[in-house]
Coordinates of all heavy atoms in Angstrom, one line a residue:
N239 N 75.6 104.6 90.6 CA 74.6 103.4 90.3 C 73.5 103.3 91.2 O 72.3 102.9 90.8 CB 75.4 102.1 90.1 CG 76.3 102.2 88.8 OD1 76.0 102.8 87.8 ND2 77.4 101.4 88.9
I240 N 73.8 103.3 92.5 CA 72.8 103.2 93.6 C 71.8 104.4 93.4 O 70.6 104.0 93.4 CB 73.5 103.3 95.0 CG1 74.3 101.9 95.2 CG2 72.3 103.3 96.1 CD1 75.3 102.1 96.4
L241 N 72.2 105.5 93.2 CA 71.2 106.7 93.0 C 70.4 106.5 91.9 O 69.2 106.7 92.0 CB 72.1 108.0 92.9 CG 72.9 108.5 94.1 CD1 73.6 109.8 93.7 CD2 71.9 108.7 95.3
K242 N 70.9 106.1 90.7 CA 70.2 105.7 89.6 C 69.1 104.7 89.8 O 67.9 104.8 89.5 CB 70.9 105.4 88.4 CG 71.8 106.5 87.8 CD 72.7 106.0 86.6 CE 73.7 107.1 86.2 NZ 74.7 106.6 85.4
S243 N 69.5 103.6 90.5 CA 68.6 102.5 90.8 C 67.3 103.0 91.7 O 66.3 102.4 91.7 CB 69.2 101.3 91.4 OG 69.6 101.6 92.7
K244 N 67.7 103.9 92.6 CA 66.7 104.4 93.5 C 66.1 105.7 93.1 O 65.2 106.3 93.8 CB 67.4 104.6 94.8 CG 67.8 103.3 95.5 CD 68.3 103.6 97.0 CE 68.8 102.3 97.6 NZ 67.7 101.5 98.2
K245 N 66.4 106.1 91.9 CA 65.8 107.3 91.2 C 65.9 108.6 92.1 O 65.0 109.3 92.3 CB 64.4 107.0 90.9 CG 64.2 105.9 89.9 CD 62.7 105.7 89.5 CE 62.5 104.7 88.4 NZ 63.3 103.6 88.2
I246 N 67.2 108.7 92.6 CA 67.4 109.9 93.6 C 68.5 110.7 92.6 O 69.5 110.3 92.2 CB 68.1 109.4 94.8 CG1 67.2 108.6 95.6 CG2 68.6 110.7 95.5 CD1 67.8 108.1 96.9
T247 N 68.0 112.0 92.5 CA 69.0 113.0 91.7 C 70.0 113.6 92.5 O 69.9 113.6 93.7 CB 68.1 114.0 91.0 OG1 67.5 114.8 92.0 CG2 67.0 113.4 90.1
V248 N 71.1 114.2 91.9 CA 72.0 115.0 92.5 C 71.3 116.2 93.2 O 71.6 116.5 94.3 CB 73.1 115.4 91.6 CG1 74.0 116.4 92.0 CG2 74.0 114.3 91.1
K249 N 70.3 116.9 92.5 CA 69.6 117.9 93.1 C 69.0 117.5 94.4 O 69.0 118.2 95.4 CB 68.5 118.4 92.0 CG 67.8 119.6 92.5 CD 68.6 120.9 92.5 CE 67.8 122.1 92.8 NZ 68.5 123.2 93.3
Q250 N 68.4 116.3 94.5 CA 67.7 116.0 95.6 C 68.7 115.7 96.7 O 68.4 116.0 98.0 CB 66.9 114.6 95.3 CG 65.7 114.8 94.4 CD 65.0 113.5 94.0 OE1 65.8 112.6 93.7 NE2 63.7 113.4 94.0
L251 N 69.8 115.0 96.5 CA 70.8 114.9 97.5 C 71.4 116.2 97.9 O 71.6 116.5 99.2 CB 72.1 114.0 96.9 CG 72.0 112.6 97.1 CD1 73.3 112.0 96.7 CD2 71.6 112.1 98.5
Q252 N 71.6 117.1 97.1 CA 72.1 118.5 97.4 C 71.1 119.1 98.5 O 71.5 119.7 99.5 CB 72.1 119.4 96.2 CG 72.5 120.7 96.4 CD 72.3 121.7 95.3 OE1 72.2 121.1 94.1 NE2 72.1 122.9 95.4
E253 N 69.8 119.0 98.2 CA 68.8 119.6 99.0 C 68.8 118.8 100.4 O 68.7 119.5 101.5 CB 67.4 119.6 98.4 CG 67.3 120.4 97.2 CD 66.2 120.4 96.4 OE1 65.2 119.5 96.7 OE2 66.0 121.2 95.4
L254 N 69.0 117.5 100.4 CA 68.8 116.7 101.7 C 70.0 116.9 102.4 O 69.8 117.0 103.7 CB 68.8 115.2 101.2 CG 67.5 114.6 100.7 CD1 67.8 113.3 100.2 CD2 66.2 114.7 101.7
F255 N 71.2 117.2 101.8 CA 72.4 117.6 102.7 C 72.5 119.2 103.0 O 73.3 119.5 103.7 CB 73.6 117.1 102.0 CG 73.9 115.8 102.1 CD1 73.4 114.8 101.2 CD2 74.6 115.2 103.2 CE1 73.7 113.4 101.4 CE2 74.9 113.9 103.3 CZ 74.4 113.0 102.4
G256 N 71.6 120.0 102.4 CA 71.6 121.4 102.6 C 72.8 122.1 102.1 O 73.2 123.2 102.4
F257 N 73.3 121.5 100.9 CA 74.4 122.1 100.2 C 73.9 123.2 99.3 O 72.9 123.1 98.7 CB 75.1 121.0 99.3 CG 75.9 120.0 100.1 CD1 76.0 118.7 99.4 CD2 76.4 120.1 101.3 CE1 76.5 117.8 100.1 CE2 76.9 119.1 102.0 CZ 77.2 118.0 101.4
E258 N 74.5 124.4 99.2 CA 74.2 125.5 98.5 C 74.4 125.1 96.9 O 73.5 125.6 96.1 CB 74.9 126.7 98.7 CG 74.4 128.0 98.0 CD 75.2 129.3 98.6 OE1 75.9 129.2 99.5 OE2 74.8 130.2 97.9
Y259 N 75.4 124.3 96.6 CA 75.8 124.0 95.3 C 75.9 122.5 95.2 O 76.3 121.9 96.2 CB 77.0 124.8 94.8 CG 76.8 126.2 94.8 CD1 77.5 126.9 95.8 CD2 76.2 126.9 93.8 CE1 77.4 128.3 95.8 CE2 76.0 128.3 93.9 CZ 76.6 129.0 95.0 OH 76.5 130.4 94.9
P260 N 75.8 121.9 94.0 CA 75.9 120.4 94.0 C 77.4 120.0 93.8 O 77.5 118.7 93.7 CB 75.1 120.2 92.7 CG 75.2 121.4 91.8 CD 75.4 122.5 92.7
Q261 N 78.4 120.8 93.8 CA 79.7 120.3 93.5 C 80.1 119.2 94.5 O 80.9 118.4 94.1 CB 80.7 121.6 93.5 CG 80.7 122.4 92.3 CD 79.6 123.3 92.2 OE1 78.7 123.4 93.1 NE2 79.5 124.1 91.2
A262 N 79.8 119.3 95.7 CA 80.2 118.3 96.7 C 79.7 116.9 96.2 O 80.5 115.8 96.3 CB 79.7 118.6 98.1
V263 N 78.5 116.8 95.8 CA 77.9 115.5 95.4 C 78.6 115.1 94.1 O 79.0 113.9 94.0 CB 76.5 115.8 95.3 CG1 75.8 114.3 94.7 CG2 75.7 116.1 96.4
Y264 N 78.8 116.0 93.1 CA 79.6 115.6 92.0 C 81.0 115.1 92.3 O 81.4 114.3 91.6 CB 79.6 116.7 91.0 CG 78.2 116.8 90.3 CD1 77.6 118.1 90.4 CD2 77.7 115.8 89.5 CE1 76.3 118.2 89.7 CE2 76.6 116.1 88.8 CZ 75.9 117.2 88.9 OH 74.6 117.5 88.3
S265 N 81.6 115.8 93.3 CA 83.0 115.3 93.7 C 82.9 114.0 94.2 O 83.9 113.2 93.9 CB 83.5 116.3 94.7 OG 84.8 116.1 95.0
W266 N 82.0 113.7 95.0 CA 81.9 112.2 95.4 C 81.7 111.2 94.2 O 82.3 110.2 94.3 CB 80.5 112.1 96.3 CG 80.5 112.9 97.6 CD1 81.7 113.5 98.2 CD2 79.4 113.2 98.4 NE1 81.2 114.2 99.3 CE2 79.9 114.0 99.6 CE3 78.1 112.8 98.4 CZ2 79.0 114.4 100.4 CZ3 77.3 113.2 99.4 CH2 77.8 114.1 100.4
L267 N 80.7 111.6 93.4 CA 80.3 110.7 92.3 C 81.5 110.5 91.3 O 81.6 109.4 90.8 CB 79.2 111.2 91.5 CG 77.8 111.4 92.3 CD1 76.8 112.0 91.4 CD2 77.4 110.0 93.0
N268 N 82.4 111.5 91.2 CA 83.6 111.4 90.3 C 84.8 110.9 91.1 O 85.8 110.6 90.4 CB 83.9 112.7 89.7 CG 82.8 113.3 88.8 OD1 82.3 112.5 88.0 ND2 82.6 114.5 88.9
G269 N 84.6 110.5 92.3 CA 85.8 110.0 93.1 C 86.9 110.9 93.5 O 88.0 110.4 93.9
R270 N 86.7 112.2 93.4 CA 87.6 113.2 93.6 C 87.7 113.3 95.2 O 88.8 113.6 95.8 CB 87.4 114.6 93.0 CG 87.6 114.6 91.6 CD 87.5 116.1 91.1 NE 86.2 116.7 91.3 CZ 85.3 116.7 90.5 NH1 85.2 116.0 89.4 NH2 84.1 117.3 90.8
T271 N 86.5 113.1 95.9 CA 86.5 113.1 97.3 C 85.6 112.1 97.8 O 84.8 111.7 97.0 CB 86.1 114.6 97.9 OG1 84.8 114.7 97.6 CG2 87.0 115.7 97.5
L272 N 85.8 111.8 99.1 CA 84.7 110.9 99.7 C 83.9 111.7 100.7 O 84.4 112.7 101.3 CB 85.5 109.8 100.5 CG 86.2 108.8 99.6 CD1 87.0 107.9 100.5 CD2 85.1 107.9 98.9
P273 N 82.7 111.3 100.9 CA 82.0 112.1 102.0 C 82.6 111.9 103.4 O 83.3 110.9 103.7 CB 80.5 111.3 102.0 CG 80.5 110.6 100.7 CD 81.8 110.3 100.3
S274 N 82.4 112.9 104.3 CA 82.8 112.7 105.6 C 82.0 111.6 106.2 O 81.1 111.1 105.6 CB 82.5 114.0 106.5 OG 81.1 114.2 106.5
I275 N 82.6 111.1 107.4 CA 81.9 110.0 108.0 C 80.5 110.4 108.5 O 79.5 109.6 108.3 CB 82.6 109.5 109.3 CG1 82.2 108.2 109.7 CG2 82.8 110.5 110.4 CD1 82.2 106.9 108.7
D276 N 80.2 111.5 108.8 CA 78.9 112.1 109.1 C 78.1 112.0 107.9 O 76.9 111.6 108.0 CB 78.9 113.5 109.7 CG 79.5 113.7 111.0 OD1 79.7 112.6 111.7 OD2 80.0 114.8 111.3
N277 N 78.6 112.4 106.7 CA 77.8 112.4 105.4 C 77.6 111.0 105.0 O 76.5 110.7 104.4 CB 78.4 113.2 104.5 CG 78.2 114.7 104.7 OD1 77.2 115.1 105.4 ND2 79.0 115.5 104.2
F278 N 78.5 110.1 105.2 CA 78.3 108.7 104.8 C 77.2 108.0 105.6 O 76.4 107.3 105.2 CB 79.6 107.8 105.1 CG 80.3 107.5 103.9 CD1 81.8 107.8 103.7 CD2 79.7 106.9 102.7 CE1 82.4 107.5 102.6 CE2 80.4 106.6 101.6 CZ 81.7 106.9 101.6
L279 N 77.2 108.4 107.0 CA 76.1 107.9 107.9 C 74.7 108.4 107.3 O 73.7 107.6 107.3 CB 76.3 108.4 109.3 CG 75.4 107.8 110.3 CD1 75.4 106.3 110.2 CD2 75.9 108.3 111.7
K280 N 74.7 109.7 106.9 CA 73.5 110.3 106.4 C 73.0 109.6 105.1 O 71.9 109.3 104.9 CB 73.6 111.8 106.3 CG 72.3 112.5 106.0 CD 72.4 114.0 106.1 CE 71.1 114.6 105.8 NZ 71.2 116.2 106.1
L281 N 74.1 109.4 104.2 CA 73.8 108.7 102.9 C 73.2 107.3 103.2 O 72.2 106.8 102.5 CB 75.1 108.5 102.1 CG 75.5 109.5 101.1 CD1 76.8 109.2 100.6 CD2 74.4 109.7 100.1

């Protein structure tokens, strides 16, 4: 919901985090995993 309200896409997050694939971001959004504390800080 935050990403939608700020008009930030999964693709943009993927690029900002330097992930090769978007699966990590989708995993966060689906609640399968949580970002590491470093990634939470970056978020």
Side-chain angles (χ1 to χ4, degrees):
N239 290 333
I240 293 167
L241 294 176
K242 286 177 190 168
S243 73
K244 294 186 177 276
K245 297 180 175 33
I246 298 173
T247 66
V248 169
K249 179 75 173 164
Q250 288 171 319
L251 269 191
Q252 174 192 341
E253 291 171 357
L254 288 167
F255 279 92
F257 297 150
E258 188 173 353
Y259 301 103
Q261 280 81 359
V263 178
Y264 284 118
S265 186
W266 300 343
L267 298 177
N268 292 322
R270 286 191 302 270
T271 63
L272 291 168
S274 67
I275 192 66
D276 292 340
N277 286 339
F278 257 125
L279 188 57
K280 191 169 182 176
L281 265 176

